[in-house]
Amino acid sequence: MADDLEQQLRLTAQTVEANLGHGDRVHAPRPIDHLAGFRTRSAATAAGEELTAAGYRVDGLYRRLLTVWLEFSAMTAVDHETAAAFTREVVGIIGRHGGHYDGWGGFLVPPDDAGD
């Protein structure tokens, strides 16, 4: 799991930097979608319950081939510190249930003067 966490933290930092490069106001909260895969529905359901208790919303649970996918989301900022914190949190929860975190994404929040 440590390798998975380190990889996810690197991907998170890269995503935040890419967002900043596009002018994203990363400190502004927005809906962030997450995806995780599990071998069993019971593991995905248990992870979903723990994620819900941690403040996330479960948006979907479905099987595709041999993987049960759990979609979940939260309203949050995506600055480096906040994104690293939620990455650590969700990778930990998902890992406790034998899953694999597939990452996060969301819309950019444009600068205030974007309409001028």
Side-chain angles (χ1 to χ4, degrees):
M1 184 172 109
D3 289 340
D4 188 41
L5 176 59
E6 292 308 313
Q7 177 185 6
Q8 290 298 333
L9 287 170
R10 279 192 300 278
L11 293 170
T12 287
Q14 290 171 2
T15 301
V16 173
E17 284 300 314
N19 288 359
L20 286 166
H22 291 295
D24 186 19
R25 291 188 307 126
V26 295
H27 288 85
R30 81 285 310 273
I32 295 298
D33 299 318
H34 303 265
L35 183 64
F38 298 85
R39 291 180 184 236
T40 66
R41 181 172 290 277
S42 61
T45 299
E49 290 170 357
E50 190 172 345
L51 287 161
T52 299
Y56 295 85
R57 182 181 79 194
V58 171
D59 300 312
L61 182 67
Y62 59 92
R63 178 177 290 283
R64 184 161 294 143
L65 300 176
L66 299 176
T67 303
V68 178
W69 293 101
L70 175 66
E71 297 174 340
F72 58 102
S73 62
M75 183 71 91
T76 186
V78 295
D79 58 275
H80 280 290
E81 184 177 332
T82 304
F86 71 63
T87 297
R88 283 186 187 90
E89 179 176 48
V90 300
V91 167
I93 292 170
I94 291 162
R96 281 194 289 280
H97 298 281
H100 175 74
Y101 185 51
D102 198 50
W104 61 271
F107 291 104
L108 302 177
V109 176
D112 289 331
D113 61 351
D116 295 340

